[in-house]
Amino acid sequence: MTRRRVRWLAERRVFEGFLTGKGPEWELKRLAMEEVAVAYDNSLAVKAGVQLLLWGNTVKALGTKRHHDEWLKATEDYKIMGCFAMTELGHGSNVRGLETVATYDARKAEFVINTPCETAQKYWIGGAANDATHAVVFTQLHMNGQNQGVHAFIVQIRDANGNVLPNIRIADCGHKIGLNGVDNGRIWFDNVRVPRENMLNSVADVTADGQYLSDIKDPDRRSAAFMSPLTSGRVTVAATAIYSAKICLSIAIRYALTRRAFSITPNGPEMLLLDYPSHQRRLLPLLAKTYAMNFAGNYLKVIYVNRTPQSIKNLHVVSSALKIAFTWHNMRTLQECREACGGQGMKTENRIGQMKGDFDPQSTYEGDNSYMTQQVSKSLLAEYAATKKQNKPFNGLGLEHLNGPSPVLPSHLTSTILRSSHFQVEAFRLRERDLLNRFAAEVEDYQAKGETKEGAFLQTYQLAQDLARAFADRMTLDTFIEVEARVSAGSLKEVLGLVRSMYAVVCMEEDASFLRYGYLSPQNDAAVRKEVAKLCSELRPHALALVNSFGIPDAFLSPISYDWIQENSWSSAKL
Amino acid sequence: MTRRRVRWLAERRVFEGFLTGKGPEWELKRLAMEEVAVAYDNSLAVKAGVQLLLWGNTVKALGTKRHHDEWLKATEDYKIMGCFAMTELGHGSNVRGLETVATYDARKAEFVINTPCETAQKYWIGGAANDATHAVVFTQLHMNGQNQGVHAFIVQIRDANGNVLPNIRIADCGHKIGLNGVDNGRIWFDNVRVPRENMLNSVADVTADGQYLSDIKDPDRRSAAFMSPLTSGRVTVAATAIYSAKICLSIAIRYALTRRAFSITPNGPEMLLLDYPSHQRRLLPLLAKTYAMNFAGNYLKVIYVNRTPQSIKNLHVVSSALKIAFTWHNMRTLQECREACGGQGMKTENRIGQMKGDFDPQSTYEGDNSYMTQQVSKSLLAEYAATKKQNKPFNGLGLEHLNGPSPVLPSHLTSTILRSSHFQVEAFRLRERDLLNRFAAEVEDYQAKGETKEGAFLQTYQLAQDLARAFADRMTLDTFIEVEARVSAGSLKEVLGLVRSMYAVVCMEEDASFLRYGYLSPQNDAAVRKEVAKLCSELRPHALALVNSFGIPDAFLSPISYDWIQENSWSSAKL
């Protein structure tokens, strides 16, 4: 069904220009398409994403003109179907550890690709099990007895009739708890030969007579260049995670505005779920976070489509940090919404439960969140160390605030102060700065005790996790405030202010760092907690407008979003 | 398939004595059967549980000799199949709000049962969609123009050939995200007549000429008596939640002991996942909690099977508090294990992901966790107020420690102190006592400002949540220490001591109350956090033994628990 849906869209030329169009607006369109597809079904979004991003964009990013001419238009038009064969059974996050091998046969000017052992089988390859005719295959490149590191090749895996080609074996990955509309497969290569020209050669190349050429001499840095296509995947994952959160919050909040339970007066009417302060506390902070992350996600999209060779490094850090924050937020929101809808949340027709399965892989694919958390903090520390060493001001990643003095928060927090964006920014900056200092000191401390740098990073995971979160939160708050500044005074700005304050205070309530490291005294933490409850009651009247303004079409919500009594009536059951 | 499995067990007389056997050992056997069934499939456990607990035990608890003689043996032997028709489309947790109505026709000595509106349709009734021949139906009982509150009746809904009887309409609840082996259905009653004798009459009765009789005069208290069968459901849910956590931790920890990723030296071998401190932090605290909750679960089972009319009230509070703690712990553990296994956690064959769907309803059925949390704290407050008012010592619910002076924790916490059970108990008692005092004061404060008692409870949900958690944690730690005391000195006791300390310190790290209300200074909180990491590395060598000792048979784990390379090989794919 997913294949037919993708083809249906392709026949209507929905994807035209996504790879061949010039300029950032084409990438923004493609991202918008992914978000809209998610509103319908994440399998559809991923299936299209495999073709246009993982395959198409990689050919574009790692290939050169000959590849672009041959594949980009064909990909948009679905003349061929591509897949992205990077992950192996034995190696996911550790791409440098891939075991598939390519060697070069100069006599025939061909590369020979092999799966030398079972752990080298390509695994989880979306599109491989049934549909893909071509793959971009990541392998170690062995040249003249030397391993040049990870490189990428275009390999045809099926003929035009869908038959698997000789020397290639393919199996399905089996049933999954979500995304079963995507045909994830496994691939083994047995001396598969491809022409020299199939090497994606923007980073490195091999001449016909077998000379290896690259401007990047360090194999590790070359491998890193081959991983750059993952960034576009991360941006897409981040954007679609927020869309998922919007959908499930729209459903759960609409249900909470029609479902009643208990009365609090002897013979009074039952109360709406959303009139319970505890139910507000379950949903409204997640709604505020979704708004905040939506703005940060838009910022991420903009810096992504305007990327330059100079900005790639920072883009990698920002996209990783936000991908982590957004995908975990989405999973948490889905679970909370599922439970907030009671048994109805268990029904597949109500979407939330189904989406839990479909979005679950987001926290481990395109970079495992847990692993990437430490990578983000390592990158921040590298920036920190380089800046200190060169004795120059911080510039980039929003870290410029570190150039000024450390913020001093007011000793007594009132509701007015808690809602001021100035205070919120200062509190988030203080946390980020302090955690960065602590992390740097702890890593140094371990090294002073004789640990290697890598060993020190292993031990300091607690602060690394705190710091990555503080970085994502601060960046998210910054983008919210920028958006707010562009809105002219009026009721919209007022509501946005409430939403932003909710985002800020609930982050403070939920991250123990604020108390642990004394950014907030216990008295001020009590004020924060009270403010969360207060903001819940103030946001309550705006809840419906806030989810309606996500603009999810009615048909993409679920029965409990509307007249669920009618939907569950006997007359509907008979249909 | 689930029906056939249940019948297969019944044919082997596995359930014999579960309802007709006398003494607590039969109830313990039944609970053990539920746990073992869960290891295979939660649908099987729930399907058997509907028959033996929700139907069978309710007939036993609310019925009298005539019902016992007619139904208990027949139920064990699967001569009939029962279901439990309490929940309605419009009313789940609020049982008193049920809308189905029974009236009495004295001329024919029959009750007449009706579904007066669509929200009154019985909903989520396990077994109703396909299999059940009989139902215990909960209705409002209208007698002579007066509503006597909720009562229960036995109603035959299908004939022996499985045909739905006249005046009854049944529909399926539709596809769910888990537990699809249970045929949840909906039932409508149109003037369904049952003999007077079908009323389950241990709490109240109606004479042939239409006199309503009950020793309990207050309709609310009568309704509460009819809800007592839910306690056995909660005990079962709590026990099976821990079993689920054991299974997924066994799988994830075994995988982490065979899966490698990254090396931390230039050409060194890749490290096992479980040798990463951050990976230990993900799994080992959850393992310790599972051990602790297992002991608390055994305690719960013992007080359940030895219940007396005097202990029912406390049993209700304890079973609610532990059901909440265990089911949320299980869902969190499943999610963490799913992510800790990376993509493999998404594969249905690896069980964890499938179990996420199958166990998800536990947090909202047999009492919605979020709602029950506040109920638990309300009960604790009622106990507190009554004890203070009568000026007598606390007695029961483990609250006796409130009779002594408030604990004073050492001002400087060392590793030795943090691992002493005395300190741990004192810290947990201090938290429980302080939160109970704060909760009482806050409720009183709202009432002093003019709120009704119910209104005050609505506003104080934050402290109510903290208190319910503190109560469950303290009770869990108490039971752990009791178990430890019965183990003679030696290596087992030493490992148990590490596990108990991990449980205690990770509870302290995770509940912000310790910092928020100053039970721990920031310095001591830092010591707690360091101790969590230290205990992770000390538990690491015992991890395999700790999961093996759960005794889950090999066949009930999953491919990634063993030689997952062989399981994923091409030769296996061809099978």
Side-chain angles (χ1 to χ4, degrees):
Chain A
M1 286 308 298
T2 309
R3 178 201 306 138
R4 288 167 69 171
R5 287 166 185 166
V6 166
R7 288 207 170 276
W8 188 89
L9 292 171
E11 281 159 19
R12 276 147 194 82
R13 314 208 302 197
V14 166
F15 309 125
E16 211 173 80
F18 279 12
L19 291 166
T20 53
K22 306 265 180 257
E25 65 272 27
W26 284 103
E27 288 195 301
L28 286 171
K29 274 189 194 175
R30 201 193 59 210
L31 285 162
M33 180 279 292
E34 287 286 333
E35 291 175 326
V36 171
V38 155
Y40 181 67
D41 175 18
N42 199 31
S43 282
L44 177 63
V46 170
K47 187 99 177 146
V50 166
Q51 173 83 347
L52 298 159
L53 276 160
L54 290 180
W55 157 266
N57 223 37
T58 302
V59 171
K60 193 169 176 178
L62 300 182
T64 51
K65 186 166 183 304
R66 65 174 187 251
H67 307 108
H68 299 168
D69 291 346
E70 188 167 359
W71 303 110
L72 298 187
K73 181 89 174 64
T75 299
E76 280 178 13
D77 295 348
Y78 273 73
K79 299 265 188 259
I80 58 111
M81 283 181 84
C83 65
F84 181 84
M86 180 182 266
T87 296
E88 298 173 356
L89 173 62
H91 291 89
S93 292
N94 183 11
V95 178
R96 289 194 181 89
L98 294 180
E99 296 174 286
T100 303
V101 172
T103 53
Y104 184 65
D105 178 350
R107 286 173 310 140
K108 300 193 175 175
E110 287 175 344
F111 289 100
V112 186
I113 297 176
N114 264 296
T115 303
C117 54
E118 285 295 353
T119 48
Q121 66 182 268
K122 294 294 177 185
Y123 207 92
W124 288 127
I125 311 308
N130 295 324
D131 289 342
T133 54
H134 293 73
V136 47
V137 180
F138 290 80
T139 75
Q140 302 292 343
L141 175 60
H142 289 182
M143 296 288 303
N144 310 317
Q146 199 185 345
N147 185 6
Q148 299 289 355
V150 171
H151 290 70
F153 302 87
I154 288 177
V155 181
Q156 184 166 0
I157 58 173
R158 286 189 174 85
D159 65 22
N161 298 320
N163 303 308
V164 176
L165 291 181
N167 299 341
I168 289 173
R169 292 170 284 152
I170 290 181
D172 198 290
C173 281
H175 190 268
K176 297 153 287 179
I177 60 161
L179 281 186
N180 281 301
V182 179
D183 54 323
N184 293 97
R186 311 187 266 151
I187 316 176
W188 292 257
F189 301 96
D190 308 315
N191 286 314
V192 173
R193 288 179 165 267
V194 297
R196 186 182 69 92
E197 291 74 18
N198 282 26
M199 180 172 176
L200 294 178
N201 62 337
S202 75
V203 177
D205 207 352
V206 170
T207 61
D209 62 347
Q211 301 295 310
Y212 181 81
L213 304 173
S214 176
D215 290 341
I216 309 177
K217 297 300 165 206
D218 175 27
D220 265 1
R221 281 197 46 230
R222 267 203 312 272
S223 292
F226 281 106
M227 283 174 245
S228 65
L230 293 174
T231 299
S232 79
R234 267 194 277 273
V235 174
T236 308
V237 167
T240 54
I242 291 309
Y243 231 81
S244 161
K246 290 178 183 178
I247 295 166
C248 69
L249 280 165
S250 299
I251 294 169
I253 286 176
R254 293 180 67 99
Y255 184 58
L257 288 167
T258 56
R259 169 81 187 195
R260 293 174 183 274
F262 297 102
S263 59
I264 62 157
T265 51
N267 291 306
E270 289 180 292
M271 265 171 65
L272 287 173
L273 293 188
L274 205 60
D275 285 331
Y276 284 87
S278 55
H279 208 81
Q280 293 165 8
R281 177 62 186 83
R282 299 177 81 173
L283 298 178
L284 300 183
L286 296 172
L287 178 62
K289 286 189 172 188
T290 301
Y291 262 84
M293 292 178 182
N294 174 64
F295 297 139
N298 287 342
Y299 165 76
L300 173 63
K301 287 186 241 172
V302 169
I303 62 170
Y304 166 68
V305 300
N306 293 303
R307 65 193 175 281
T308 62
Q310 290 70 44
S311 73
I312 287 277
K313 219 176 93 189
N314 283 357
L315 177 61
H316 177 75
V317 180
V318 174
S319 64
S320 300
L322 296 185
K323 185 264 186 186
I324 298 165
F326 294 4
T327 56
W328 272 338
H329 166 71
N330 178 39
M331 286 306 293
R332 178 184 166 196
T333 302
L334 284 165
Q335 186 63 32
E336 194 67 56
C337 288
R338 158 17 227 144
E339 296 181 30
C341 293
Q344 291 291 339
M346 288 295 296
K347 295 186 76 167
T348 305
E349 69 182 24
N350 286 324
R351 295 209 66 188
I352 298 169
Q354 171 77 25
M355 287 165 67
K356 283 200 332 154
D358 282 345
F359 286 89
D360 201 349
Q362 288 199 331
S363 55
T364 51
Y365 67 27
E366 303 296 316
D368 174 80
N369 281 10
S370 178
Y371 166 68
M372 282 209 304
T373 298
Q374 287 172 265
Q375 294 303 104
V376 166
S377 288
K378 265 164 94 168
S379 301
L380 294 176
L381 183 60
E383 182 72 17
Y384 176 90
T387 308
K388 294 263 167 183
K389 196 172 172 189
Q390 296 165 40
N391 203 18
K392 60 173 194 183
F394 285 94
N395 178 16
L397 293 170
L399 295 177
E400 292 77 3
H401 67 89
L402 295 172
N403 299 323
S406 185
V408 179
L409 302 185
S411 57
H412 174 70
L413 296 178
T414 62
S415 181
T416 311
I417 295 174
L418 283 166
R419 295 185 188 201
S420 100
S421 58
H422 175 73
F423 161 75
Q424 293 159 4
V425 168
E426 292 278 277
F428 279 40
R429 287 178 173 176
L430 174 60
R431 172 175 58 149
E432 184 181 33
R433 168 195 290 254
D434 182 67
L435 289 173
L436 186 48
N437 286 331
R438 285 176 187 272
F439 182 54
E442 198 174 55
V443 169
E444 203 172 302
D445 200 40
Y446 273 104
Q447 288 182 278
K449 285 180 194 150
E451 278 283 4
T452 61
K453 193 159 186 182
E454 281 305 313
F457 280 130
L458 287 189
Q459 301 298 332
T460 53
Y461 66 92
Q462 289 169 323
L463 278 168
Q465 288 165 359
D466 296 342
L467 173 59
R469 178 180 183 173
F471 172 71
D473 286 351
R474 191 266 307 149
M475 177 163 297
T476 301
L477 181 62
D478 282 349
T479 61
F480 200 132
I481 289 169
E482 276 169 33
V483 169
E484 225 181 318
R486 294 201 299 269
V487 175
S488 48
S491 59
L492 175 60
K493 200 180 186 92
E494 275 170 36
V495 174
L496 277 177
L498 292 179
V499 173
R500 187 245 310 139
S501 287
M502 174 66 99
Y503 172 72
V505 294
V506 88
C507 285
M508 293 183 209
E509 190 197 12
E510 290 179 348
D511 182 2
S513 297
F514 284 94
L515 273 165
R516 179 174 291 139
Y517 301 118
Y519 319 141
L520 293 178
S521 65
Q523 289 74 11
N524 283 336
D525 175 76
V528 164
R529 217 175 181 208
K530 199 167 274 182
E531 204 63 23
V532 172
K534 235 171 114 183
L535 281 162
C536 278
S537 70
E538 290 179 45
L539 279 173
R540 161 66 185 87
H542 306 293
L544 184 62
L546 284 167
V547 295
N548 282 349
S549 76
F550 289 146
I552 317 288
D554 292 1
F556 294 74
L557 297 176
S558 73
I560 49 168
S561 314
Y562 299 97
D563 185 349
W564 47 271
I565 299 173
Q566 174 56 31
E567 293 290 342
N568 280 285
S569 67
W570 174 251
S571 55
S572 296
K574 282 186 306 178
L575 292 180
Chain B
M1 287 307 298
T2 308
R3 179 201 305 138
R4 287 167 68 171
R5 287 165 185 168
V6 165
R7 289 206 170 275
W8 189 89
L9 292 172
E11 281 159 19
R12 276 145 193 84
R13 313 209 301 198
V14 164
F15 309 125
E16 211 172 80
F18 279 12
L19 291 166
T20 53
K22 304 266 179 259
E25 66 270 27
W26 284 103
E27 287 193 302
L28 286 172
K29 275 190 195 175
R30 201 193 60 210
L31 285 162
M33 179 280 291
E34 287 286 333
E35 290 175 325
V36 171
V38 154
Y40 182 67
D41 175 18
N42 200 30
S43 282
L44 177 62
V46 170
K47 188 97 176 146
V50 166
Q51 173 83 348
L52 298 159
L53 276 160
L54 290 180
W55 156 267
N57 224 36
T58 301
V59 170
K60 194 169 176 178
L62 300 182
T64 51
K65 187 166 184 304
R66 66 173 187 249
H67 307 108
H68 300 168
D69 291 345
E70 189 168 358
W71 302 111
L72 298 188
K73 183 89 175 63
T75 298
E76 279 178 14
D77 296 347
Y78 273 72
K79 299 268 188 259
I80 59 111
M81 284 182 84
C83 67
F84 181 82
M86 181 183 266
T87 296
E88 297 173 357
L89 173 62
H91 290 88
S93 292
N94 183 10
V95 178
R96 290 195 179 90
L98 294 180
E99 295 175 286
T100 304
V101 172
T103 53
Y104 184 64
D105 178 351
R107 284 174 312 139
K108 298 192 174 177
E110 286 175 346
F111 289 99
V112 185
I113 297 175
N114 264 298
T115 303
C117 54
E118 285 295 352
T119 49
Q121 68 180 268
K122 293 295 176 184
Y123 207 93
W124 289 125
I125 312 307
N130 295 325
D131 289 343
T133 54
H134 293 73
V136 47
V137 180
F138 290 80
T139 74
Q140 303 291 344
L141 175 60
H142 288 182
M143 296 288 301
N144 311 317
Q146 198 185 344
N147 184 6
Q148 299 290 355
V150 170
H151 291 70
F153 302 86
I154 289 177
V155 181
Q156 183 166 0
I157 58 173
R158 284 188 176 84
D159 66 22
N161 298 320
N163 302 308
V164 176
L165 291 180
N167 298 339
I168 289 173
R169 290 171 285 153
I170 290 181
D172 199 291
C173 281
H175 190 268
K176 296 154 286 180
I177 59 162
L179 280 187
N180 281 300
V182 179
D183 52 321
N184 293 96
R186 312 188 266 149
I187 316 175
W188 291 256
F189 302 96
D190 308 315
N191 285 314
V192 174
R193 288 181 164 264
V194 298
R196 185 182 69 93
E197 291 74 19
N198 282 26
M199 180 174 176
L200 294 177
N201 62 335
S202 76
V203 176
D205 206 352
V206 169
T207 61
D209 62 345
Q211 301 294 311
Y212 181 82
L213 304 173
S214 176
D215 290 341
I216 308 176
K217 298 301 167 207
D218 176 26
D220 267 0
R221 283 196 46 229
R222 267 201 314 271
S223 293
F226 280 107
M227 281 174 247
S228 64
L230 292 175
T231 299
S232 79
R234 267 193 277 272
V235 173
T236 307
V237 167
T240 54
I242 291 309
Y243 230 81
S244 160
K246 290 179 183 178
I247 294 166
C248 69
L249 281 165
S250 299
I251 294 169
I253 286 176
R254 293 180 67 99
Y255 184 59
L257 289 168
T258 55
R259 170 82 189 193
R260 293 175 182 274
F262 298 101
S263 59
I264 62 158
T265 52
N267 291 306
E270 289 180 293
M271 263 172 66
L272 287 174
L273 293 188
L274 204 60
D275 285 330
Y276 284 87
S278 55
H279 208 80
Q280 294 165 7
R281 177 61 186 84
R282 297 177 83 174
L283 297 179
L284 300 183
L286 296 172
L287 178 61
K289 284 189 173 189
T290 301
Y291 262 85
M293 291 178 183
N294 174 64
F295 298 139
N298 287 342
Y299 165 75
L300 173 62
K301 287 187 240 171
V302 169
I303 63 170
Y304 166 68
V305 300
N306 293 303
R307 66 194 174 280
T308 61
Q310 290 71 43
S311 74
I312 286 278
K313 220 176 93 190
N314 282 357
L315 175 62
H316 177 77
V317 180
V318 174
S319 65
S320 300
L322 296 185
K323 184 265 186 186
I324 298 164
F326 294 5
T327 56
W328 271 338
H329 166 71
N330 178 40
M331 286 307 292
R332 178 184 164 196
T333 303
L334 284 164
Q335 186 63 32
E336 194 67 56
C337 289
R338 158 16 227 146
E339 295 181 31
C341 294
Q344 291 291 341
M346 287 296 296
K347 293 186 76 166
T348 304
E349 69 182 26
N350 287 324
R351 296 209 66 188
I352 298 169
Q354 171 77 24
M355 285 165 68
K356 283 200 332 151
D358 282 345
F359 286 89
D360 201 347
Q362 287 199 332
S363 56
T364 50
Y365 68 27
E366 303 295 317
D368 174 79
N369 281 10
S370 178
Y371 166 68
M372 281 208 305
T373 297
Q374 288 172 266
Q375 294 302 101
V376 166
S377 288
K378 265 166 92 169
S379 299
L380 294 176
L381 183 61
E383 180 73 16
Y384 176 90
T387 308
K388 294 262 168 183
K389 195 172 171 190
Q390 296 165 39
N391 203 18
K392 58 174 194 182
F394 286 94
N395 179 17
L397 294 169
L399 296 177
E400 292 78 4
H401 68 87
L402 295 172
N403 298 323
S406 186
V408 179
L409 302 184
S411 57
H412 175 69
L413 296 179
T414 62
S415 182
T416 311
I417 295 174
L418 282 166
R419 294 184 189 203
S420 99
S421 58
H422 174 73
F423 161 75
Q424 294 159 3
V425 167
E426 293 279 277
F428 279 40
R429 285 179 175 177
L430 173 61
R431 172 175 58 148
E432 184 181 33
R433 170 196 290 255
D434 182 67
L435 289 172
L436 186 49
N437 285 331
R438 283 176 189 272
F439 182 54
E442 197 173 56
V443 170
E444 203 173 301
D445 200 39
Y446 273 104
Q447 287 182 281
K449 285 182 196 148
E451 278 283 5
T452 61
K453 194 161 186 181
E454 281 306 312
F457 281 128
L458 287 190
Q459 300 299 332
T460 53
Y461 64 93
Q462 290 169 322
L463 278 168
Q465 288 166 359
D466 297 341
L467 173 59
R469 177 180 184 174
F471 172 72
D473 286 351
R474 191 265 306 150
M475 177 162 297
T476 299
L477 181 63
D478 283 348
T479 61
F480 200 133
I481 289 169
E482 276 169 35
V483 169
E484 223 180 320
R486 294 199 298 270
V487 175
S488 47
S491 60
L492 175 60
K493 201 182 184 91
E494 275 170 36
V495 174
L496 278 177
L498 292 178
V499 173
R500 187 244 310 139
S501 286
M502 174 66 100
Y503 173 72
V505 294
V506 88
C507 284
M508 292 183 211
E509 190 196 13
E510 290 178 350
D511 182 3
S513 296
F514 284 94
L515 274 164
R516 180 174 290 138
Y517 301 118
Y519 320 142
L520 294 177
S521 65
Q523 289 75 11
N524 284 336
D525 175 76
V528 162
R529 217 176 180 208
K530 199 167 272 180
E531 203 64 22
V532 171
K534 235 172 113 183
L535 282 163
C536 279
S537 70
E538 291 180 43
L539 279 173
R540 161 69 185 84
H542 305 293
L544 185 61
L546 283 167
V547 295
N548 282 350
S549 77
F550 289 146
I552 317 287
D554 292 1
F556 293 75
L557 297 176
S558 74
I560 48 167
S561 314
Y562 300 98
D563 185 350
W564 47 270
I565 299 172
Q566 174 56 31
E567 293 290 341
N568 280 285
S569 67
W570 174 251
S571 55
S572 296
K574 283 187 306 179
L575 294 179

